[in-house]
Amino acid sequence: MTATPQPEASTKQPRTAIRSKEPRTARGRRTLRLILDAAAEEFGARGYHEGSIARIAQRAGVAIGSFYTYFVSKEAVFRALVADMSRQVREHVVPFILAAPDRLAGERAGLAAYLEFVRTHKALYRIIDESAFVAEDAYRRHYVDVADGYAVSLEQAFGRGEVTPGDWQVRAWAIMGMNVFLGLKFGVWDDSRPADEIAAAAHALIADGLSPPD
């Protein structure tokens, strides 16, 4: 997840509103944060269908009435959580890319940052994967938005002379797919190897390809 996404209209409208209202106070924003973090724990541990609003409220340390101040249903908080986790990934990773001296270095730094994020947010994969069945439009939006933003940023890097020309959409989806599965293998299933080591190996593939040297 290594580029700021661009908005895309969804072909399927959500059945329920994400939130009943936006918090206007610092206290309200803290409560909302507690609920979303608790929802990540609940859905990450039990999955969507076994997860419950009562346990989310209990984990968050709030009354069930407070939950319904922000969300109208379990589906609503789940949809909000998918969007929130997608945003968290971007906010964690993008600064590492922007701080790099060029795009190729940014790919390496961004992947290492993504692996580190996944290792401390292992529920991410279960939640995103379940959204394909619970809220397919949110699942699609998560990936399409990232890919579209990625493609734009690659084209901009080409304009700066940092990458070769190519099909930006294909490249965006290919690199994003690689990062997703590297995160699954080396972030969720096995986090024993240094993230920088994994990122360096992936970077060599991006920078040099599979062709043997001349």
Side-chain angles (χ1 to χ4, degrees):
M1 314 300 181
T2 53
T4 304
Q6 303 298 317
E8 174 173 295
S10 173
T11 58
K12 178 181 177 183
Q13 294 300 317
R15 292 190 297 274
T16 55
I18 289 180
R19 297 176 192 158
S20 56
K21 72 174 185 178
E22 295 286 343
R24 297 181 179 179
T25 66
R27 180 179 179 183
R29 289 189 289 273
R30 286 194 298 270
T31 300
L32 176 60
R33 184 71 264 157
L34 287 171
I35 293 171
L36 288 171
D37 290 344
E41 293 177 5
E42 177 70 6
F43 294 134
R46 296 176 178 270
Y48 175 79
H49 294 290
E50 295 299 321
S52 76
I53 290 174
R55 280 192 295 268
I56 291 172
Q58 184 179 37
R59 288 176 185 270
V62 303
I64 290 181
S66 295
F67 174 92
Y68 283 110
T69 298
Y70 299 95
F71 302 103
V72 300
S73 67
K74 184 169 74 169
E75 182 183 339
V77 71
F78 185 80
R79 286 177 175 276
L81 181 60
V82 171
D84 180 68
M85 297 196 86
S86 184
R87 177 191 56 78
Q88 286 190 61
V89 171
R90 294 194 303 270
E91 290 184 352
H92 179 80
V93 172
V94 169
F96 288 89
I97 298 172
L98 296 180
D102 56 55
R103 181 64 193 212
L104 289 179
E107 291 295 329
R108 177 173 176 170
L111 175 55
Y114 175 65
L115 291 173
E116 295 291 1
F117 181 89
V118 171
R119 290 175 177 185
T120 56
H121 298 78
K122 294 191 177 185
L124 172 69
Y125 275 76
R126 181 170 188 175
I127 290 166
I128 296 299
D129 286 350
E130 277 204 277
S131 71
F133 305 97
V134 176
E136 193 273 340
D137 58 303
Y139 173 79
R140 183 185 294 264
R141 187 181 311 116
H142 167 72
Y143 285 114
V144 169
D145 284 356
V146 171
D148 284 352
Y150 213 137
V152 169
S153 67
L154 286 175
E155 187 172 10
Q156 291 171 342
F158 168 69
R160 297 191 299 269
E162 296 174 355
V163 299
T164 59
D167 187 316
W168 308 121
Q169 277 285 326
V170 171
R171 287 184 172 193
W173 283 95
I175 296 172
M176 186 173 71
M178 180 179 70
N179 290 353
V180 167
F181 279 97
L182 288 172
L184 180 63
K185 165 62 178 173
F186 298 106
V188 178
W189 293 348
D190 177 10
D191 60 5
S192 62
R193 294 176 62 180
D196 285 342
E197 180 182 301
I198 306 303
H203 176 265
L205 175 60
I206 293 173
D208 303 324
L210 295 175
S211 298
D214 294 334

mmCIF file of all heavy atoms in Angstrom, residues 2 103-111 150 154 162-164 171 174-176 178-179 182 198-210:
data_model
loop_
_atom_site.group_PDB
_atom_site.id
_atom_site.type_symbol
_atom_site.label_atom_id
_atom_site.label_comp_id
_atom_site.label_asym_id
_atom_site.label_seq_id
_atom_site.Cartn_x
_atom_site.Cartn_y
_atom_site.Cartn_z
ATOM 1 N N THR A 2 1.246 1.683 -1.160
ATOM 2 C CA THR A 2 2.320 2.659 -1.162
ATOM 3 C C THR A 2 2.021 3.895 -1.973
ATOM 4 O O THR A 2 2.917 4.481 -2.558
ATOM 5 C CB THR A 2 3.601 1.999 -1.684
ATOM 6 O OG1 THR A 2 3.335 1.387 -2.944
ATOM 7 C CG2 THR A 2 4.113 0.969 -0.726
ATOM 8 N N ARG A 103 12.037 7.205 -6.607
ATOM 9 C CA ARG A 103 10.924 6.269 -6.523
ATOM 10 C C ARG A 103 11.362 4.838 -6.219
ATOM 11 O O ARG A 103 10.717 4.137 -5.433
ATOM 12 C CB ARG A 103 10.122 6.293 -7.832
ATOM 13 C CG ARG A 103 8.924 5.370 -7.825
ATOM 14 C CD ARG A 103 7.913 5.807 -6.795
ATOM 15 N NE ARG A 103 6.907 4.801 -6.545
ATOM 16 C CZ ARG A 103 5.659 5.080 -6.209
ATOM 17 N NH1 ARG A 103 5.272 6.336 -6.089
ATOM 18 N NH2 ARG A 103 4.794 4.118 -5.995
ATOM 19 N N LEU A 104 12.449 4.373 -6.833
ATOM 20 C CA LEU A 104 12.885 3.011 -6.565
ATOM 21 C C LEU A 104 13.283 2.834 -5.105
ATOM 22 O O LEU A 104 12.944 1.827 -4.471
ATOM 23 C CB LEU A 104 14.042 2.630 -7.486
ATOM 24 C CG LEU A 104 13.665 2.418 -8.956
ATOM 25 C CD1 LEU A 104 14.900 2.075 -9.772
ATOM 26 C CD2 LEU A 104 12.604 1.333 -9.107
ATOM 27 N N ALA A 105 13.981 3.804 -4.566
ATOM 28 C CA ALA A 105 14.312 3.754 -3.142
ATOM 29 C C ALA A 105 13.043 3.834 -2.305
ATOM 30 O O ALA A 105 12.931 3.209 -1.245
ATOM 31 C CB ALA A 105 15.262 4.892 -2.780
ATOM 32 N N GLY A 106 12.075 4.589 -2.801
ATOM 33 C CA GLY A 106 10.798 4.704 -2.100
ATOM 34 C C GLY A 106 10.040 3.391 -2.052
ATOM 35 O O GLY A 106 9.378 3.082 -1.059
ATOM 36 N N GLU A 107 10.114 2.601 -3.128
ATOM 37 C CA GLU A 107 9.468 1.295 -3.134
ATOM 38 C C GLU A 107 10.038 0.405 -2.032
ATOM 39 O O GLU A 107 9.293 -0.275 -1.323
ATOM 40 C CB GLU A 107 9.647 0.622 -4.498
ATOM 41 C CG GLU A 107 8.881 1.268 -5.627
ATOM 42 C CD GLU A 107 7.382 1.166 -5.441
ATOM 43 O OE1 GLU A 107 6.910 0.176 -4.831
ATOM 44 O OE2 GLU A 107 6.671 2.067 -5.906
ATOM 45 N N ARG A 108 11.333 0.423 -1.908
ATOM 46 C CA ARG A 108 11.981 -0.400 -0.868
ATOM 47 C C ARG A 108 11.589 0.087 0.518
ATOM 48 O O ARG A 108 11.217 -0.727 1.386
ATOM 49 C CB ARG A 108 13.500 -0.354 -1.056
ATOM 50 C CG ARG A 108 14.263 -1.126 0.008
ATOM 51 C CD ARG A 108 15.735 -1.192 -0.319
ATOM 52 N NE ARG A 108 16.490 -1.853 0.739
ATOM 53 C CZ ARG A 108 17.762 -2.218 0.630
ATOM 54 N NH1 ARG A 108 18.430 -1.971 -0.482
ATOM 55 N NH2 ARG A 108 18.373 -2.819 1.635
ATOM 56 N N ALA A 109 11.677 1.381 0.743
ATOM 57 C CA ALA A 109 11.338 1.929 2.058
ATOM 58 C C ALA A 109 9.862 1.720 2.381
ATOM 59 O O ALA A 109 9.492 1.423 3.521
ATOM 60 C CB ALA A 109 11.686 3.418 2.102
ATOM 61 N N GLY A 110 9.009 1.870 1.359
ATOM 62 C CA GLY A 110 7.581 1.702 1.582
ATOM 63 C C GLY A 110 7.218 0.276 1.933
ATOM 64 O O GLY A 110 6.380 0.037 2.815
ATOM 65 N N LEU A 111 7.827 -0.697 1.268
ATOM 66 C CA LEU A 111 7.540 -2.094 1.574
ATOM 67 C C LEU A 111 8.011 -2.455 2.979
ATOM 68 O O LEU A 111 7.302 -3.138 3.727
ATOM 69 C CB LEU A 111 8.191 -3.016 0.547
ATOM 70 C CG LEU A 111 8.057 -4.518 0.822
ATOM 71 C CD1 LEU A 111 6.592 -4.921 0.994
ATOM 72 C CD2 LEU A 111 8.714 -5.327 -0.289
ATOM 73 N N TYR A 150 -1.573 4.641 -6.888
ATOM 74 C CA TYR A 150 -0.256 4.089 -7.186
ATOM 75 C C TYR A 150 0.118 4.364 -8.638
ATOM 76 O O TYR A 150 1.250 4.768 -8.956
ATOM 77 C CB TYR A 150 -0.289 2.590 -6.931
ATOM 78 C CG TYR A 150 0.996 1.984 -6.428
ATOM 79 C CD1 TYR A 150 0.988 1.058 -5.400
ATOM 80 C CD2 TYR A 150 2.219 2.314 -6.998
ATOM 81 C CE1 TYR A 150 2.161 0.483 -4.939
ATOM 82 C CE2 TYR A 150 3.389 1.754 -6.540
ATOM 83 C CZ TYR A 150 3.363 0.842 -5.508
ATOM 84 O OH TYR A 150 4.521 0.287 -5.065
ATOM 85 N N LEU A 154 3.305 6.506 -10.007
ATOM 86 C CA LEU A 154 4.321 5.945 -10.892
ATOM 87 C C LEU A 154 4.504 6.808 -12.135
ATOM 88 O O LEU A 154 5.630 7.042 -12.587
ATOM 89 C CB LEU A 154 3.936 4.521 -11.296
ATOM 90 C CG LEU A 154 4.086 3.434 -10.237
ATOM 91 C CD1 LEU A 154 3.539 2.112 -10.756
ATOM 92 C CD2 LEU A 154 5.540 3.271 -9.801
ATOM 93 N N GLU A 162 12.534 8.946 -12.980
ATOM 94 C CA GLU A 162 12.941 7.986 -11.954
ATOM 95 C C GLU A 162 12.586 6.537 -12.296
ATOM 96 O O GLU A 162 13.119 5.613 -11.676
ATOM 97 C CB GLU A 162 12.297 8.360 -10.610
ATOM 98 C CG GLU A 162 12.774 9.705 -10.083
ATOM 99 C CD GLU A 162 12.040 10.141 -8.833
ATOM 100 O OE1 GLU A 162 11.086 9.449 -8.412
ATOM 101 O OE2 GLU A 162 12.412 11.190 -8.274
ATOM 102 N N VAL A 163 11.684 6.319 -13.266
ATOM 103 C CA VAL A 163 11.300 4.963 -13.675
ATOM 104 C C VAL A 163 11.153 4.924 -15.191
ATOM 105 O O VAL A 163 11.014 5.968 -15.845
ATOM 106 C CB VAL A 163 9.978 4.507 -13.010
ATOM 107 C CG1 VAL A 163 10.104 4.479 -11.498
ATOM 108 C CG2 VAL A 163 8.817 5.392 -13.434
ATOM 109 N N THR A 164 11.160 3.715 -15.739
ATOM 110 C CA THR A 164 10.979 3.538 -17.178
ATOM 111 C C THR A 164 9.504 3.670 -17.538
ATOM 112 O O THR A 164 8.622 3.517 -16.688
ATOM 113 C CB THR A 164 11.481 2.159 -17.611
ATOM 114 O OG1 THR A 164 10.745 1.153 -16.890
ATOM 115 C CG2 THR A 164 12.964 2.003 -17.330
ATOM 116 N N ARG A 171 1.386 -2.060 -13.841
ATOM 117 C CA ARG A 171 2.500 -2.002 -12.888
ATOM 118 C C ARG A 171 2.005 -1.781 -11.460
ATOM 119 O O ARG A 171 2.511 -2.389 -10.513
ATOM 120 C CB ARG A 171 3.462 -0.887 -13.297
ATOM 121 C CG ARG A 171 4.283 -1.215 -14.529
ATOM 122 C CD ARG A 171 5.295 -0.128 -14.837
ATOM 123 N NE ARG A 171 6.192 -0.544 -15.904
ATOM 124 C CZ ARG A 171 7.318 0.094 -16.211
ATOM 125 N NH1 ARG A 171 7.670 1.169 -15.545
ATOM 126 N NH2 ARG A 171 8.084 -0.336 -17.192
ATOM 127 N N ALA A 174 0.490 -4.999 -10.184
ATOM 128 C CA ALA A 174 1.513 -6.026 -10.012
ATOM 129 C C ALA A 174 2.332 -5.780 -8.747
ATOM 130 O O ALA A 174 2.550 -6.698 -7.941
ATOM 131 C CB ALA A 174 2.428 -6.071 -11.238
ATOM 132 N N ILE A 175 2.785 -4.552 -8.555
ATOM 133 C CA ILE A 175 3.595 -4.241 -7.377
ATOM 134 C C ILE A 175 2.752 -4.341 -6.113
ATOM 135 O O ILE A 175 3.190 -4.877 -5.091
ATOM 136 C CB ILE A 175 4.235 -2.850 -7.506
ATOM 137 C CG1 ILE A 175 5.210 -2.829 -8.680
ATOM 138 C CG2 ILE A 175 4.963 -2.471 -6.216
ATOM 139 C CD1 ILE A 175 5.747 -1.442 -9.004
ATOM 140 N N MET A 176 1.528 -3.835 -6.193
ATOM 141 C CA MET A 176 0.645 -3.905 -5.033
ATOM 142 C C MET A 176 0.360 -5.362 -4.653
ATOM 143 O O MET A 176 0.381 -5.730 -3.482
ATOM 144 C CB MET A 176 -0.664 -3.171 -5.326
ATOM 145 C CG MET A 176 -1.586 -3.069 -4.125
ATOM 146 S SD MET A 176 -3.011 -2.026 -4.483
ATOM 147 C CE MET A 176 -3.909 -3.097 -5.616
ATOM 148 N N MET A 178 2.271 -7.949 -5.204
ATOM 149 C CA MET A 178 3.482 -8.476 -4.602
ATOM 150 C C MET A 178 3.577 -8.066 -3.141
ATOM 151 O O MET A 178 3.854 -8.889 -2.256
ATOM 152 C CB MET A 178 4.713 -7.982 -5.367
ATOM 153 C CG MET A 178 6.033 -8.474 -4.807
ATOM 154 S SD MET A 178 7.464 -7.886 -5.747
ATOM 155 C CE MET A 178 7.434 -6.137 -5.304
ATOM 156 N N ASN A 179 3.323 -6.801 -2.870
ATOM 157 C CA ASN A 179 3.417 -6.306 -1.501
ATOM 158 C C ASN A 179 2.392 -6.968 -0.591
ATOM 159 O O ASN A 179 2.682 -7.286 0.569
ATOM 160 C CB ASN A 179 3.229 -4.791 -1.483
ATOM 161 C CG ASN A 179 4.400 -4.046 -2.091
ATOM 162 O OD1 ASN A 179 5.426 -4.644 -2.426
ATOM 163 N ND2 ASN A 179 4.255 -2.751 -2.261
ATOM 164 N N LEU A 182 3.635 -10.508 0.130
ATOM 165 C CA LEU A 182 4.805 -10.444 1.004
ATOM 166 C C LEU A 182 4.384 -10.106 2.431
ATOM 167 O O LEU A 182 4.939 -10.647 3.395
ATOM 168 C CB LEU A 182 5.807 -9.411 0.483
ATOM 169 C CG LEU A 182 6.576 -9.791 -0.781
ATOM 170 C CD1 LEU A 182 7.377 -8.605 -1.297
ATOM 171 C CD2 LEU A 182 7.499 -10.981 -0.525
ATOM 172 N N ILE A 198 13.618 -8.442 3.565
ATOM 173 C CA ILE A 198 12.558 -8.791 2.614
ATOM 174 C C ILE A 198 12.395 -7.680 1.589
ATOM 175 O O ILE A 198 12.272 -7.923 0.385
ATOM 176 C CB ILE A 198 11.235 -9.038 3.348
ATOM 177 C CG1 ILE A 198 11.408 -10.092 4.456
ATOM 178 C CG2 ILE A 198 10.142 -9.446 2.368
ATOM 179 C CD1 ILE A 198 11.940 -11.411 3.970
ATOM 180 N N ALA A 199 12.410 -6.443 2.065
ATOM 181 C CA ALA A 199 12.241 -5.305 1.167
ATOM 182 C C ALA A 199 13.385 -5.220 0.168
ATOM 183 O O ALA A 199 13.183 -4.868 -0.998
ATOM 184 C CB ALA A 199 12.136 -4.014 1.978
ATOM 185 N N ALA A 200 14.601 -5.553 0.595
ATOM 186 C CA ALA A 200 15.756 -5.505 -0.307
ATOM 187 C C ALA A 200 15.617 -6.540 -1.420
ATOM 188 O O ALA A 200 15.928 -6.256 -2.583
ATOM 189 C CB ALA A 200 17.039 -5.744 0.480
ATOM 190 N N ALA A 201 15.143 -7.737 -1.092
ATOM 191 C CA ALA A 201 14.969 -8.775 -2.101
ATOM 192 C C ALA A 201 13.896 -8.381 -3.112
ATOM 193 O O ALA A 201 14.058 -8.577 -4.322
ATOM 194 C CB ALA A 201 14.615 -10.100 -1.432
ATOM 195 N N ALA A 202 12.796 -7.826 -2.623
ATOM 196 C CA ALA A 202 11.732 -7.371 -3.516
ATOM 197 C C ALA A 202 12.202 -6.201 -4.358
ATOM 198 O O ALA A 202 11.871 -6.082 -5.546
ATOM 199 C CB ALA A 202 10.495 -6.993 -2.712
ATOM 200 N N HIS A 203 12.986 -5.320 -3.755
ATOM 201 C CA HIS A 203 13.509 -4.156 -4.478
ATOM 202 C C HIS A 203 14.390 -4.595 -5.641
ATOM 203 O O HIS A 203 14.346 -4.014 -6.730
ATOM 204 C CB HIS A 203 14.306 -3.275 -3.521
ATOM 205 C CG HIS A 203 14.961 -2.102 -4.177
ATOM 206 N ND1 HIS A 203 16.266 -2.121 -4.615
ATOM 207 C CD2 HIS A 203 14.475 -0.881 -4.495
ATOM 208 C CE1 HIS A 203 16.572 -0.959 -5.166
ATOM 209 N NE2 HIS A 203 15.507 -0.183 -5.109
ATOM 210 N N ALA A 204 15.191 -5.642 -5.445
ATOM 211 C CA ALA A 204 16.046 -6.145 -6.513
ATOM 212 C C ALA A 204 15.207 -6.630 -7.691
ATOM 213 O O ALA A 204 15.576 -6.431 -8.855
ATOM 214 C CB ALA A 204 16.934 -7.269 -5.992
ATOM 215 N N LEU A 205 14.068 -7.256 -7.402
ATOM 216 C CA LEU A 205 13.187 -7.719 -8.466
ATOM 217 C C LEU A 205 12.586 -6.538 -9.227
ATOM 218 O O LEU A 205 12.532 -6.536 -10.455
ATOM 219 C CB LEU A 205 12.067 -8.584 -7.875
ATOM 220 C CG LEU A 205 10.986 -9.059 -8.852
ATOM 221 C CD1 LEU A 205 11.598 -9.897 -9.965
ATOM 222 C CD2 LEU A 205 9.913 -9.839 -8.109
ATOM 223 N N ILE A 206 12.141 -5.523 -8.508
ATOM 224 C CA ILE A 206 11.545 -4.353 -9.149
ATOM 225 C C ILE A 206 12.585 -3.608 -9.980
ATOM 226 O O ILE A 206 12.337 -3.201 -11.114
ATOM 227 C CB ILE A 206 10.923 -3.422 -8.104
ATOM 228 C CG1 ILE A 206 9.719 -4.093 -7.429
ATOM 229 C CG2 ILE A 206 10.501 -2.090 -8.733
ATOM 230 C CD1 ILE A 206 9.153 -3.307 -6.267
ATOM 231 N N ALA A 207 13.762 -3.418 -9.406
ATOM 232 C CA ALA A 207 14.786 -2.610 -10.073
ATOM 233 C C ALA A 207 15.471 -3.332 -11.226
ATOM 234 O O ALA A 207 15.774 -2.730 -12.262
ATOM 235 C CB ALA A 207 15.832 -2.168 -9.050
ATOM 236 N N ASP A 208 15.688 -4.657 -11.080
ATOM 237 C CA ASP A 208 16.494 -5.397 -12.056
ATOM 238 C C ASP A 208 15.709 -6.423 -12.861
ATOM 239 O O ASP A 208 16.206 -6.910 -13.886
ATOM 240 C CB ASP A 208 17.649 -6.104 -11.344
ATOM 241 C CG ASP A 208 18.524 -5.134 -10.560
ATOM 242 O OD1 ASP A 208 18.721 -4.001 -11.036
ATOM 243 O OD2 ASP A 208 19.018 -5.510 -9.484
ATOM 244 N N GLY A 209 14.512 -6.788 -12.393
ATOM 245 C CA GLY A 209 13.730 -7.785 -13.099
ATOM 246 C C GLY A 209 14.306 -9.170 -12.966
ATOM 247 O O GLY A 209 15.171 -9.447 -12.115
ATOM 248 N N LEU A 210 13.849 -10.085 -13.837
ATOM 249 C CA LEU A 210 14.304 -11.472 -13.811
ATOM 250 C C LEU A 210 15.318 -11.783 -14.915
ATOM 251 O O LEU A 210 15.834 -12.893 -15.000
ATOM 252 C CB LEU A 210 13.110 -12.420 -13.958
ATOM 253 C CG LEU A 210 12.093 -12.408 -12.804
ATOM 254 C CD1 LEU A 210 10.910 -13.306 -13.170
ATOM 255 C CD2 LEU A 210 12.717 -12.867 -11.496
#
